[in-house]
Amino acid sequence: MLFVFNPKAGKGKIKAKLSEIIDLFNSHQYEVIIHATQYPRDAYEQAKKYAKSVDLIVCSGGDGTLDEVVSGIMESGTNVPVGYIPAGSTNDFASSLGMPKNAVDAAAMIMDEEMYDCDIGKFNDEIFTYIAAFGLFTDVSYQTDQDLKNILGHVAYVLEGVKRLLDIKSYHMRVETEDKVIEDNFMFGMITNSRSVGGFKNLTGKNVDMNDGLFEVTLITMPKNPLELQEILSAILTAEDNSDLVYSFKASRLTLESDEEVPWTLDGEFGGDHKLVNIENKYRALNIFLNTKKSITTK
């Protein structure tokens, strides 16, 4: 097994549990290769390096660490199983699947070796695990200082996000899916395979199935006045598709074309500036260990 962990994620709590976790893995006959990430994309490099020579890759950190590991595995051309011990400040992916929050409990769940085949996404030539987004607030997670995130948690995101309210920007986009074409000015958009975004439940809508081959798509237009802004907020918070200002639908593939380069975020990390984006659902491409009896895999 390759066990790669981010020692700085979530206040570094994983370090206090390392001995117990490794002992658990060894007791299940795993020879463990341990690697603490040293720099950005290190988890990606390690996963790609070892994917063809190990039986399992376990990672611990935030959603960004998981994203790196999944990307490394996909690029290696293998389907080696993944185990995830969530240790970040938000952990949307783990929350969506009902994974244990306790690190040792999560490790024990992995050792049960019950497989769950989960959808992931392809963004042009890159892989993302659960969200690709643009617009208002989407750069908060990668521009918020890690130490600040560790100390303040969700409050750090909120404080950083409030600064953006005074400088809302919109992008004119043409969005094409397998069955519709939309053209409008959007201040925010997200293509997700998740029940939680930024720690908030139901932002992606109801009846989310994470291995049905479909993304949940939310596109929010630019409000023209405070009343429209209130309508948008109400639609989002209630997860009700009752506003012409919010496009909410499911799709397996999308093409988004804009008049100018748009900065994107993939699983909370900067995904580059793009005028043209092709997004495709990779149906059940991620083999992840999950106790489906205790976890919530459909809702």
Side-chain angles (χ1 to χ4, degrees):
M1 172 202 302
L2 170 65
F3 177 39
V4 57
F5 69 97
N6 181 349
K8 294 182 178 180
K11 304 179 185 178
K13 289 182 179 179
I14 187 69
K15 289 183 281 189
K17 300 291 185 179
L18 277 179
S19 178
E20 193 173 353
I21 290 171
I22 299 303
D23 179 61
L24 179 64
F25 291 159
N26 287 156
S27 71
H28 284 77
Q29 310 305 313
Y30 277 100
E31 179 181 343
V32 185
I33 303 165
I34 307 171
H35 185 86
T37 57
Q38 304 296 305
Y39 47 82
R41 303 286 285 172
D42 193 10
Y44 159 81
E45 292 176 4
Q46 296 300 316
K48 189 174 181 180
K49 174 182 176 182
Y50 284 100
K52 294 182 179 179
S53 58
V54 297
D55 301 298
L56 168 63
I57 296 179
V58 175
C59 65
S60 180
D63 292 325
T65 302
L66 176 66
D67 175 86
E68 289 190 24
V69 167
V70 173
S71 296
I73 291 172
M74 292 298 119
E75 286 200 21
S76 74
T78 70
N79 60 351
V80 59
V82 174
Y84 182 37
I85 301 175
S89 51
T90 306
N91 301 314
D92 284 318
F93 183 80
S95 177
S96 294
L97 289 175
M99 290 182 173
K101 295 181 180 180
N102 178 278
V104 177
D105 290 344
M109 178 197 70
I110 295 166
M111 291 298 93
D112 288 339
E113 295 189 335
E114 183 180 347
M115 191 75 74
Y116 178 73
D117 300 321
C118 188
D119 297 344
I120 56 176
K122 186 176 182 182
F123 178 95
N124 289 343
D125 294 326
E126 296 186 59
I127 293 293
F128 66 95
T129 306
Y130 75 98
I131 183 170
F134 69 87
L136 187 66
F137 296 159
T138 54
D139 62 347
V140 167
S141 59
Y142 60 81
Q143 288 195 358
T144 304
D145 181 79
Q146 181 65 54
D147 292 333
L148 179 61
K149 284 195 284 186
N150 289 342
I151 294 169
L152 298 177
H154 291 305
V155 178
Y157 291 98
V158 174
L159 290 175
E160 191 72 22
V162 167
K163 299 177 186 177
R164 313 304 165 96
L165 287 174
L166 301 176
D167 187 28
I168 299 176
K169 180 176 176 58
S170 67
Y171 302 95
H172 185 79
M173 282 188 173
R174 183 180 187 274
V175 181
E176 184 175 349
T177 73
E178 56 265 42
D179 60 3
K180 61 168 61 75
V181 176
I182 300 167
E183 190 165 352
D184 214 324
N185 296 317
F186 301 109
M187 70 171 182
F188 175 80
M190 61 181 180
I191 296 87
T192 66
N193 188 45
S194 176
R195 302 185 187 97
S196 173
V197 173
F200 296 98
K201 302 286 188 178
N202 297 325
L203 287 185
T204 57
K206 300 176 181 178
N207 303 314
V208 176
D209 188 342
M210 294 179 66
N211 61 359
D212 62 356
L214 296 170
F215 292 119
E216 281 65 45
V217 182
T218 302
L219 301 169
I220 302 176
T221 60
M222 189 70 179
K224 299 180 179 65
N225 53 59
L227 285 177
E228 287 193 350
L229 178 59
Q230 184 175 347
E231 180 182 330
I232 288 170
L233 291 173
S234 176
I236 295 170
L237 293 175
T238 60
E240 298 290 343
D241 187 11
N242 57 6
S243 172
D244 293 335
L245 302 172
V246 178
Y247 297 89
S248 182
F249 54 90
K250 295 177 183 287
S252 62
R253 59 174 58 88
L254 304 93
T255 298
L256 301 96
E257 190 170 3
S258 54
D259 297 338
E260 59 184 301
E261 289 198 334
V262 177
W264 284 79
T265 178
L266 305 178
D267 295 335
E269 304 296 329
F270 183 53
D273 298 317
H274 305 274
K275 282 188 175 181
L276 180 64
V277 168
N278 291 296
I279 298 177
E280 177 188 354
N281 186 289
K282 306 293 287 182
Y283 180 59
R284 299 190 175 186
L286 174 60
N287 303 316
I288 190 163
F289 284 134
L290 180 72
N291 188 328
T292 56
K293 295 181 181 66
K294 294 182 180 179
S295 304
I296 304 172
T297 54
T298 58
K299 191 175 182 179

